[in-house]
Amino acid sequence: GRAQEVLLILQSAMKSKRLPVIPVYVDGMVSDINMAYMNHPNGLRLPLTKSITKGRNPLYSENVTAVTTKPTRSELLRQSGCAVFVSSSGMLTGGPSVEYAKTLVQDENACIIITGYQDEEAPGRLLQNMMTSIEENRTVTLDGTVLPLRCRIVQVGLSAHSDSSEITSVIDRLSCRRIILVHGDEDAMTALGTALS
């Protein structure tokens, strides 16, 4: 998944000194998916599979740790210094990411990095739309609370979804007789439906 890719990118950048070594905290379903990868390494790229079968966990290190309790979240948000939080849900619709975002959006020294698709009604899309806003007193509503938006917002393209050619390739191999498209932007689904028909 995308969160695991983010963890590997961060660790690689710190190891090569392109980023300073700072604490990285993993929270929410990201931890659960990390465990699933550890229990089923054969679906991963060969270097990761080899690392896991040798007893190493490539997703964690001495500076990348899992957050296990809600009080820990609050403590981490109060501490000074740099830190990275990799948390679900990526669209800010629920989960620990909302708790982190409610604090971080108000901090002019913070940056929220959006790494994937944001549904039109998702709070993450609202943040994404504000990336280019030059309004003085920007606000954002998270979990029903209106908050001042002072942090930076950045988008990095790390899609966890297949593109239309990848979807078409799978469908061709399956020889499907009937296809029902149920998830995605309406324009994208219409274009894919046309291509498939």
Side-chain angles (χ1 to χ4, degrees):
R2 186 173 31 242
Q4 290 69 33
E5 186 176 359
V6 167
L7 292 173
L8 294 171
I9 289 168
L10 288 169
Q11 290 188 79
S12 173
M14 286 186 268
K15 186 175 182 180
S16 66
K17 300 192 185 321
R18 288 177 287 150
L19 278 179
V21 176
I22 57 174
V24 176
Y25 300 103
V26 179
D27 204 347
M29 282 182 55
V30 177
S31 300
D32 297 335
I33 301 302
N34 286 353
M35 184 60 70
Y37 280 123
M38 290 300 295
N39 291 332
H40 305 283
N42 293 333
L44 301 173
R45 293 180 311 208
L46 189 57
L48 295 174
T49 301
K50 284 182 179 179
S51 180
I52 293 168
T53 55
K54 289 180 180 176
R56 282 192 49 246
N57 187 334
L59 300 171
Y60 293 101
S61 65
E62 54 189 55
N63 62 304
V64 179
T65 56
V67 176
T68 55
T69 65
K70 190 171 181 163
T72 304
R73 246 177 246 144
S74 301
E75 290 170 27
L76 293 172
L77 286 166
R78 282 193 304 271
Q79 74 183 11
S80 61
C82 294
V84 174
F85 302 99
V86 179
S87 182
S88 57
S89 139
M91 291 191 206
L92 298 175
T93 54
S97 66
V98 177
E99 290 182 51
Y100 292 116
K102 285 167 72 173
T103 298
L104 297 174
V105 295
Q106 302 177 70
D107 184 349
E108 62 188 23
N109 294 316
C111 179
I112 294 179
I113 301 173
I114 299 171
T115 60
Y117 172 78
Q118 300 296 307
D119 190 62
E120 288 189 34
E121 282 84 40
R125 174 65 70 96
L126 297 174
L127 282 181
Q128 186 180 41
N129 291 342
M130 302 202 84
M131 285 190 314
T132 57
S133 170
I134 56 171
E135 290 178 40
E136 283 281 323
N137 298 311
R138 300 181 302 168
T139 62
V140 64
T141 303
L142 294 172
D143 201 22
T145 306
V146 178
L147 301 162
L149 177 59
R150 296 186 183 111
C151 74
R152 274 185 49 218
I153 314 274
V154 175
Q155 170 115 29
V156 176
L158 295 174
S159 178
H161 296 278
S162 301
D163 64 19
S164 63
S165 64
E166 292 168 321
I167 293 170
T168 303
S169 173
V170 169
I171 290 171
D172 284 345
R173 281 185 263 143
L174 295 174
S175 302
C176 297
R177 299 175 93 197
R178 184 175 293 161
I179 300 162
I180 301 169
L181 303 175
V182 297
H183 178 71
D185 287 328
E186 191 172 332
D187 292 343
M189 286 197 305
T190 300
L192 180 58
T194 301
L196 292 173
S197 62

